[in-house]
Amino acid sequence: MSEPTHTLTAPDLAAPDPAAVKAEMLKIYPAKTAKKRAKQIILNDPETPPEIGANSRTIPGIITQRGCTYAGCRGVVLGPIYDILQITHGPVGCGFYAWLSRRNLVRPPAGSTNYLQYCMNTDMQEDQIVFGGEKKLTQAIREAYAIFKPKAIAILATCPVGLIGDDIHTVAKLMKAELGINVMAFSCEGYKGVSQSAGHHIANNGVFKNIIGLDDKPDEAEFNMNILGEYNIGGDAWEIDTLLRKCGIHVTSTLSGDVSYDQVKKSHTVMLNGVMCHRSINYIAEMMEKKFGIPWIKVNFIGAEATAKTLRKIAKFFDSKKLTDRVEEVIAQEMIALRPVRAEIKARHQGKKAALFVGGSRAHHYQDLFRDIGMEIVSAGYEFAHRDDYEGRKVLPTIKVDADSRNIEELHVEADPARFKPTKTPEQMEALKAGGFSFKDYEGMMVEMKKSTLVIDDITHHEMEKLIEIYKPDIIGSGIKDKFVIEKMGVPCKQLHSYDYSGPYAAFAGAVNFYREVDRMLTTKVWKYITPPWEKAPLASVELVHASKLGGAKKNGEAKAWRKAAAGGEEA
Amino acid sequence: MLDGTTAEIKPREALRINPAKTCQPIGAMYAALGIHGCMPHSHGSQGCCAYHRSHLTRHFKEPVVATSSSFTEGASVFGGLANMTQALSNIFTIYDPKIVAVHTTCLSEVIGDDIPMMIKKATEEGIIPAGKVVIHANTPSFVGSHVTGFASMVTAMVKYLSESSGKTEAQLKDEPQLNIIPGYIDPADMRELKRIIKEMGVKTVLFPDTSGVLDLPQDGRYRMFPSGGATIEQIKSAGDSVGTIALGHFASHPAAEKLDEKCNVPCALLELPYGLTNTDRFIHALRNHGGVDVPGTLGEERGRLLDAMGDMHQYFHGKRVAIAGDPDHVIALTQFLVELDMKPAYVITGSSGNHFEQRVTEILKDQAPEAIVKQNSDLFALHQWIKNQPVDLLIGNTYCKYIAHVEKIPFVRFGFPVLDRMGHRYFPGVGYMGALRLMEKINDALLDHKDRECPEETFELIQ
């Protein structure tokens, strides 16, 4: 099927000079702030991505997109496992804000309780700040167990817990012994690390130490894998699962989207890990490979082309003709439904401009969806990613571990003597690599972005305003805190954390949803109505919809006068 | 849904489940947004600020800007002075607000950061430009709730800004001004209060005032500091007012009392003007303290409300209602439900304060003496009581929708936060017109439920 070619009506002469834009963004800052931000605003070079000052401290007083370590631990990897009863140890707020505010959709089987609908915390009061909160936490765990009888309990720390020195790990240990269920503690105080990313790492460590590997019985399946770093926002994990099932691939565990404690326990029994969000879960992928011999590959189910590429990559790994043929069949089938929609929407929006500032992988993945419909990415950046997510994992050895990162435990993992069973022999792995296959690799965002495009890490409110002013993007992908700032400026904004309560956007069916959603946002009449008619049209040309009704009264002086007034002084 | 919630009530003292409150700083941030040209600043880890901005944004669907001291572990150990100083320097240079309203968090409170000292130091070092103002409120999250956080920030406005200029009584009587402290209500409510005040013809200062800040029109332009909000000068002049009308024991009375203590401004302590009687009291107070007559237009609004109350009385009468929310809201709403001859059965707030239980019990003593009234409660407890003895209607914030859904109870969203409907952003709940809207919502919920659930033979065209 031929698709309309790119036709830009307006000459691209006015394309802003990124270096000048950067200078303009930095101009207002105090010197120290400008110096730091300059390292986080980079003119891209896809050939050799320049170093970006990612995962560094947020500057006090600038308006940032970032959240805290607790949010990272409660929000991803650990948080969305629906049948672990999670107790936030601390004052009431942290647990309250994290309660159902991320869209980790779940369909628990009958008889299973979905604890995501509950917000449980110790509602710490001044007494516990002064005298310690361990006693209250212990009692809270006992009460939770008595009421709910969960399979497992997780305790999450908030800022004061670390400061007053509550030993939540000992409490967890004692409770585990007393109740006979898994009780685990996460020291994810908000002030640790520079963003939610530290919380992801802490959640990875805890889930790996306390859950993964507890059940050695694998699911019966010819091709068996986990999807890591997929949180089922708006049902994305279900789309991916459905697609893989069509191909004949079984997903044991999606970490963490619509996933149960029991599924996570046996997630080490698979043949392959596919990593969606590299930032939030590469730690578990690495540790599972070291301990159990499960190779990991980067996957991306966001965008039709990206999804097809990912399916082929997975098929290649499993090295089965049957699977490879099936994957091609599925791709062909899915593309039949997708192509006409994509072509229609592409025709309307080819050449339009998008900018993406969000998360730790979404600002990269969603570029593929916009490119699918011919749109251009004028600028992008993550909220909490590290250099490897921008520049690729090849820079890992050169990343300096600073004091904030050193705070977060690095687990020492060795091959499990009994359970280290590599899916592939070293020879097979080498053969795959020789055929162009890459393992444990993520090339990052920058290699896929155009030269000189602005890459902005942890974009500030001020920089966002400047960016909109100068680039005038047609749409921006961002989060809840920016959404209405952007839309007040007349630019539609797609929340890429919550999807604005729509979705799914993953895999082929999700891509179609996304194209349609972008189409809706770019064609909505709302933005066209911003200027009222009396501010844009010469008064004489104001359309009088009901003027004809006055026709019969033309001779009547009064009607004439009314008409004159309505037409702004010019008699029609 | 909520499958772990059973009718059997087990002892629970340490575990909070499904809170009906949140922490102080979000209230302080909301109050600060009601000052014109104000940047709320959260002194703590940036997660607090992110959570508060996100949640306020979800409730208002408007830009909510605020800054943070972005503590990392270093600041938590060595204190937040360096972070605060850098933050103030950045805020005034980049965003240029007229005023910064600092609130603390559990983090900065636990380490004992001294905010007034920090402000003093920043002033001496010239970090705070001449003519700019920094105020603060202590809002540790392990004390009180979002409502007390709001109250603390409003009190801070009085402490830092209000002054008596020394004008003589005669001078003040020339153009008497009243203060209105509206409480933790939505911008649409504040707008409605101002409309009523205008109808009455009283000169007032309403603070905080988030109308014109968090209910902005779409005109293609973003303004970090929009035209709304009580100006510093207005709050300053509150010290010269002839009186204060403060709406709500928990959110507004502390500031009114502070103003009385500091500037000798007498105060009338009222409840939020939800429903008929509380609006009557508000208008009566405006009349008495403002020295004006009540215009006929307001009398007509009252009459229309009363007319509707009579017309639809049969649908309200005797209905058992569960109410959850913030104490000032719940007290006033309970009063309105009594006026409608409904029977509040469970009345809870997540906040603490004996006044809540005393006042609600007093309101219910004739009509529903058997009602369970609890401060420091939560939605899990409420749900368990409902499972034991059901109700006809549930009124509360959006979090209650899970209970309503699973128990198939008609549900009216009321209070903070409302995260899944739009009306609160534009239509007031206060005043006679607001009462009509609340009544309509209750009536619709009850009748929609009846229409959906009733057998065909009682499905009626006319109600």
Side-chain angles (χ1 to χ4, degrees), chain A residues 185-223:
Chain A
F186 294 79
S187 289
C188 53
E189 286 86 349
Y191 57 78
K192 287 188 172 169
V194 301
S195 70
Q196 35 295 51
S197 175
H200 304 155
H201 194 166
I202 291 164
N204 272 251
N205 288 349
V207 168
F208 186 77
K209 266 197 300 198
N210 295 299
I211 313 176
I212 294 172
L214 291 179
D215 177 3
D216 287 329
K217 193 174 176 303
D219 289 352
E220 294 290 328
E222 191 179 358
F223 308 109

Side-chain angles (χ1 to χ4, degrees), chain A residues 487-491 520-537 543, chain B residues 217-221:
Chain A
E487 297 207 332
K488 279 283 188 276
M489 295 172 92
V491 178
R520 175 189 71 75
M521 294 175 77
L522 292 176
T523 54
T524 172
K525 295 176 191 67
V526 170
W527 316 110
K528 299 186 182 85
Y529 292 133
I530 286 176
T531 311
W534 55 86
E535 279 180 21
K536 64 180 171 192
E543 194 184 350
Chain B
Q218 172 59 274
D219 61 4
R221 283 189 292 271

Side-chain angles (χ1 to χ4, degrees), chain A residues 332-406:
Chain A
Q333 269 172 14
E334 298 279 341
M335 290 302 284
I336 289 171
L338 181 136
R339 264 192 211 104
V341 182
R342 185 176 65 180
E344 183 203 327
I345 291 168
K346 191 172 183 178
R348 272 198 285 281
H349 305 302
Q350 175 104 42
K352 287 187 181 165
K353 294 171 287 188
L356 296 163
F357 301 100
V358 64
S361 64
R362 291 178 191 270
H364 177 196
H365 289 167
Y366 277 78
Q367 294 188 19
D368 285 330
L369 269 172
F370 283 110
R371 282 194 205 103
D372 280 355
I373 49 171
M375 290 179 65
E376 188 196 335
I377 308 299
V378 291
S379 182
Y382 299 119
E383 178 182 346
F384 49 73
H386 301 194
R387 276 184 61 200
D388 37 326
D389 307 293
Y390 286 102
E391 304 166 50
R393 280 179 71 91
K394 61 179 183 300
V395 302
L396 277 174
T398 65
I399 295 180
K400 221 175 96 202
V401 182
D402 60 16
D404 298 306
S405 299
R406 212 169 289 126

Side-chain angles (χ1 to χ4, degrees), chain A residues 33 117-119 121 143 146, chain B residues 2 5 10 13 16 18 90:
Chain A
T33 303
Q117 290 167 347
Y118 291 89
C119 167
N121 62 64
E143 290 172 1
Chain B
L2 296 177
T5 311
K10 291 188 176 160
E13 282 166 10
R16 172 71 63 216
N18 297 355
N90 277 319

Side-chain angles (χ1 to χ4, degrees), chain A residues 530-550:
Chain A
I530 286 176
T531 311
W534 55 86
E535 279 180 21
K536 64 180 171 192
L539 289 173
S541 69
V542 172
E543 194 184 350
L544 292 174
V545 181
H546 297 297
S548 62
K549 285 187 180 167
L550 292 172

Side-chain angles (χ1 to χ4, degrees), chain B residues 170-404:
Chain B
Q171 284 170 319
L172 293 175
K173 271 191 178 147
D174 264 357
E175 207 188 353
Q177 170 178 280
L178 272 183
N179 303 319
I180 310 289
I181 305 183
Y184 200 137
I185 53 176
D186 284 328
D189 292 317
M190 302 201 187
R191 196 175 284 288
E192 177 68 359
L193 292 182
K194 289 195 290 188
R195 183 188 71 84
I196 293 170
I197 291 160
K198 203 173 164 192
E199 290 264 318
M200 294 284 292
V202 186
K203 188 187 174 215
T204 58
V205 167
L206 183 134
F207 71 96
D209 179 6
T210 55
S211 67
V213 180
L214 291 168
D215 60 353
L216 297 179
Q218 172 59 274
D219 61 4
R221 283 189 292 271
Y222 168 72
R223 303 160 187 85
M224 182 172 280
F225 305 111
S227 62
T231 62
I232 295 171
E233 292 69 30
Q234 283 176 318
I235 302 173
K236 191 174 168 185
S237 77
D240 274 342
S241 294
V242 295
T244 302
I245 299 176
L247 306 174
H249 174 89
F250 289 87
S252 299
H253 293 184
E257 282 162 348
K258 184 79 212 168
L259 193 54
D260 190 357
E261 178 198 314
K262 183 180 172 186
C263 303
N264 202 19
V265 180
C267 50
L269 305 177
L270 304 188
E271 280 161 2
L272 282 174
Y274 287 115
L276 182 82
T277 327
N278 277 318
T279 304
D280 281 351
R281 288 177 185 141
F282 175 60
I283 290 188
H284 204 66
L286 280 174
R287 172 182 168 274
N288 287 358
H289 299 289
V292 291
D293 291 327
V294 180
T297 46
L298 284 174
E300 283 174 23
E301 283 178 23
R302 183 180 191 278
R304 277 194 286 274
L305 169 65
L306 201 55
D307 190 60
M309 285 167 71
D311 292 348
M312 308 307 275
H313 180 258
Q314 70 188 87
Y315 302 111
F316 297 105
H317 178 258
K319 292 283 190 302
R320 281 170 57 80
V321 191
I323 315 160
D326 296 337
D328 292 337
H329 286 68
V330 173
I331 290 170
L333 183 70
T334 304
Q335 173 69 50
F336 186 37
L337 299 186
V338 166
E339 287 155 20
L340 291 170
D341 278 326
M342 301 185 92
K343 269 197 178 303
Y346 312 118
V347 185
I348 70 147
T349 185
S351 300
S352 295
N354 295 334
H355 175 83
F356 174 79
E357 288 177 11
Q358 283 159 10
R359 185 68 188 121
V360 174
T361 308
E362 190 180 294
I363 293 167
L364 294 178
K365 70 177 188 299
D366 296 326
Q367 193 143 321
E370 69 289 352
I372 297 179
V373 181
K374 280 262 189 283
Q375 58 167 314
N376 192 25
S377 188
D378 57 36
L379 300 182
F380 184 74
L382 178 70
H383 191 182
Q384 288 191 309
W385 299 330
I386 291 173
K387 275 191 180 295
N388 281 291
Q389 205 182 342
V391 291
D392 302 305
L393 176 72
L394 173 61
I395 305 181
N397 67 20
T398 290
Y399 290 92
C400 297
K401 78 191 251 182
Y402 289 79
I403 301 174

Side-chain angles (χ1 to χ4, degrees), chain A residues 197-445:
Chain A
S197 175
H200 304 155
H201 194 166
I202 291 164
N204 272 251
N205 288 349
V207 168
F208 186 77
K209 266 197 300 198
N210 295 299
I211 313 176
I212 294 172
L214 291 179
D215 177 3
D216 287 329
K217 193 174 176 303
D219 289 352
E220 294 290 328
E222 191 179 358
F223 308 109
N224 193 343
M225 69 182 293
N226 297 320
I227 301 293
L228 304 184
E230 164 51 55
Y231 303 104
N232 202 29
I233 305 297
D236 277 355
W238 293 330
E239 280 305 324
I240 296 168
D241 198 47
T242 307
L243 179 68
L244 289 172
R245 207 173 327 119
K246 270 187 205 165
C247 298
I249 300 161
H250 173 76
V251 176
T252 289
S253 195
T254 297
L255 269 171
S256 301
D258 189 21
V259 73
S260 68
Y261 174 66
D262 288 341
Q263 282 171 287
V264 181
K265 283 201 302 192
K266 62 186 174 186
S267 56
H268 63 298
T269 61
V270 298
M271 303 163 192
L272 175 68
N273 277 324
V275 171
M276 273 291 280
C277 174
H278 172 263
R279 179 67 271 134
S280 59
I281 208 156
N282 71 88
Y283 318 95
I284 278 183
E286 285 282 294
M287 291 188 288
M288 280 172 91
E289 177 157 16
K290 274 188 194 150
K291 187 168 177 182
F292 303 107
I294 306 163
W296 72 265
I297 56 171
K298 178 76 183 71
V299 296
N300 179 15
F301 290 96
I302 302 296
E305 302 305 328
T307 301
K309 203 172 139 193
T310 291
L311 286 178
R312 289 182 179 124
K313 196 169 165 185
I314 294 170
K316 194 169 177 185
F317 171 81
F318 284 116
D319 193 21
S320 141
K321 170 140 190 353
K322 188 182 77 179
L323 179 63
T324 305
D325 291 349
R326 181 65 192 141
V327 159
E328 289 308 324
E329 267 173 55
V330 170
I331 294 173
Q333 269 172 14
E334 298 279 341
M335 290 302 284
I336 289 171
L338 181 136
R339 264 192 211 104
V341 182
R342 185 176 65 180
E344 183 203 327
I345 291 168
K346 191 172 183 178
R348 272 198 285 281
H349 305 302
Q350 175 104 42
K352 287 187 181 165
K353 294 171 287 188
L356 296 163
F357 301 100
V358 64
S361 64
R362 291 178 191 270
H364 177 196
H365 289 167
Y366 277 78
Q367 294 188 19
D368 285 330
L369 269 172
F370 283 110
R371 282 194 205 103
D372 280 355
I373 49 171
M375 290 179 65
E376 188 196 335
I377 308 299
V378 291
S379 182
Y382 299 119
E383 178 182 346
F384 49 73
H386 301 194
R387 276 184 61 200
D388 37 326
D389 307 293
Y390 286 102
E391 304 166 50
R393 280 179 71 91
K394 61 179 183 300
V395 302
L396 277 174
T398 65
I399 295 180
K400 221 175 96 202
V401 182
D402 60 16
D404 298 306
S405 299
R406 212 169 289 126
N407 264 337
I408 315 301
E409 186 188 12
E410 278 290 342
L411 293 186
H412 179 69
V413 177
E414 284 174 2
D416 186 301
R419 298 186 289 178
F420 185 84
K421 285 177 200 148
T423 315
K424 302 266 179 195
T425 64
E427 295 74 31
Q428 285 172 322
M429 293 286 275
E430 283 314 311
L432 275 165
K433 282 182 200 164
F437 201 93
S438 61
F439 288 99
K440 49 191 301 175
D441 192 21
Y442 176 40
E443 291 188 327
M445 165 197 282

